[in-house]
Amino acid sequence: MDEYKTYLASDTFNLFMDQTLREFACDTVEKLCCHYSPKHYLVSTQLQSISAVITAGGMDELTKLSSKQAEKENKKNQSFWSFVSSHIMLGSQDDTSFSMAIRQKLAPFLEDESAAEDKVNRNRIKKQNKEKLKLAVEQALPIYFEHFICHYAYCAARQ
Amino acid sequence: MKRIDASVSRKMDIFLEEIYPESQKAGEEMAGLKFGKSQTRGFESLLTSTGRFSEILNYIKKQAGKDKKKEAWVQVAPTLLAQLEILETKAVELGNGDPSFTLQIKIKLAREWGKQVISHYLYQQMRMGE
């Protein structure tokens, strides 16, 4: 785990967050907004609430906020928040999700669960992988959403 | 932390000389728009204080997002972002696969480029006021 924590603090991971993750965030926003007209864009206070909840409580708070907002009646907001909710889900197998982008980067540090000899070992590996993923996600989440929010605001301004 | 060596530093200087005409164009473009002094000062201040290249890109996008009248940042953002993209590509090339170097080169190039843009913006503004 120490080697893993060193990796998360390294410039390799910093460069990943600065460039690869930024390109991924921009790409995600472009795909999300490509068919938007100006009226589809969220107001900036809603967007800013993302940074605020991440600062306050990381992934858990963002998950709560997006689920809560997705249940509200405003259709414009509903589709955005539903998207965020599924995009950040930790166990997502979707290649275009945030957690999958992190998981792919961490692949060399994650053990193969299917290679475990028995259930006990499988569960142990699963738990370890989950912990590792959670650590990286908590570190990358604020920066990822900084990229996401700024690019979203820029797309809205270009309309 | 590894330091940028003299040969890479020289390549960076040469590159900054090469892109100078483009930085001048960006400065001129800014001078023709409605930028307040506080806006350019804010940009200048970010360039010197940030340790992360992407924060500069994000700052420009965020300012464009706030530019409701579309008279300043929205207009110049595509030029600035495109030039920063060129800087990033060059930094990756000069970093030669070393993440530490690449990060350092990126931020250093961006700071020097920013100085070029803002200096030319101020000079152009002064000329326009003559």
Side-chain angles (χ1 to χ4, degrees):
Chain A
M1 202 64 161
D2 280 351
E3 186 198 351
Y4 178 68
K5 284 181 181 170
T6 307
Y7 172 74
L8 291 186
S10 71
D11 280 339
T12 305
F13 198 67
N14 286 335
L15 186 61
F16 165 72
M17 291 192 292
D18 193 64
Q19 195 164 342
T20 314
L21 210 52
R22 186 191 78 234
E23 287 163 357
F24 181 73
C26 293
D27 209 32
T28 303
V29 171
E30 296 282 347
K31 281 178 192 152
L32 177 71
C33 304
C34 63
H35 57 276
Y36 274 18
S37 69
K39 66 176 173 125
H40 283 107
Y41 284 94
L42 235 62
V43 290
S44 66
T45 45
Q46 288 251 332
L47 269 187
Q48 295 315 318
S49 67
I50 294 178
S51 319
V53 294
I54 290 173
T55 308
M59 180 62 122
D60 292 343
E61 284 302 311
L62 182 60
T63 306
K64 273 187 217 165
L65 174 80
S66 55
S67 319
K68 203 173 130 190
Q69 293 288 351
E71 284 167 13
K72 289 191 176 173
E73 281 175 13
N74 183 332
K75 275 190 180 171
K76 175 177 81 176
N77 297 355
Q78 220 175 30
S79 66
F80 175 85
W81 289 109
S82 299
F83 168 79
V84 171
S85 192
S86 62
H87 188 61
I88 59 172
M89 207 162 59
L90 264 188
S92 176
Q93 295 300 311
D94 180 357
D95 275 350
T96 61
S97 72
F98 164 67
S99 56
M100 193 52 111
I102 300 287
R103 187 184 276 271
Q104 279 166 358
K105 182 66 186 170
L106 301 179
F109 293 93
L110 302 177
E111 279 185 70
D112 183 7
E113 290 165 23
S114 61
E117 301 142 4
D118 51 41
K119 201 178 169 186
V120 176
N121 267 325
R122 191 161 48 244
N123 285 342
R124 182 187 53 80
I125 293 172
K126 210 172 177 178
K127 198 178 163 193
Q128 273 181 355
N129 285 346
K130 202 176 169 186
E131 271 174 39
K132 284 181 179 172
L133 190 62
K134 206 173 170 197
L135 269 180
V137 160
E138 289 296 344
Q139 188 173 328
L141 193 72
I143 294 181
Y144 178 74
F145 272 97
E146 179 191 309
H147 300 321
F148 185 96
I149 292 165
C150 291
H151 198 70
Y152 187 96
Y154 180 55
C155 288
R158 282 187 305 183
Q159 288 283 319
Chain B
M1 189 170 73
K2 288 185 200 171
R3 293 262 164 232
I4 299 166
D5 64 39
S7 82
V8 174
S9 203
R10 184 163 164 70
K11 284 177 188 164
M12 286 166 66
D13 288 341
I14 293 168
F15 174 69
L16 285 163
E17 289 299 320
E18 284 169 2
I19 60 149
Y20 191 68
E22 293 305 309
S23 315
Q24 276 188 313
K25 279 184 201 162
E28 270 175 37
E29 200 178 328
M30 282 174 77
L33 299 167
K34 291 191 173 172
F35 274 95
K37 266 188 186 167
S38 63
Q39 285 180 307
T40 46
R41 220 175 281 141
F43 186 44
E44 214 174 0
S45 153
L46 173 94
L47 285 165
T48 49
S49 64
T50 186
R52 186 154 54 83
F53 179 84
S54 58
E55 209 175 331
I56 302 168
L57 296 167
N58 290 341
Y59 180 87
I60 295 167
K61 290 177 183 175
K62 196 159 78 182
Q63 294 304 319
K66 288 180 185 172
D67 184 10
K68 300 294 172 210
K69 290 183 181 170
K70 300 186 192 284
E71 289 177 332
W73 287 103
V74 175
Q75 302 278 336
V76 80
T79 306
L80 299 178
L81 294 173
Q83 292 190 7
L84 281 162
E85 207 173 294
I86 293 169
L87 299 186
E88 189 170 46
T89 306
K90 189 68 184 180
V92 170
E93 181 198 313
L94 293 175
N96 204 18
D98 185 315
S100 227
F101 277 153
T102 307
L103 286 168
Q104 283 183 64
I105 295 168
K106 269 208 264 191
I107 197 71
K108 199 155 189 265
L109 285 179
R111 281 189 186 137
E112 296 305 319
W113 163 84
K115 279 185 205 165
Q116 294 177 345
V117 173
I118 290 171
S119 302
H120 201 74
Y121 157 79
L122 293 171
Y123 177 63
Q124 192 65 16
Q125 270 223 322
M126 184 270 294
R127 288 181 64 186
M128 284 161 73
E130 274 174 359

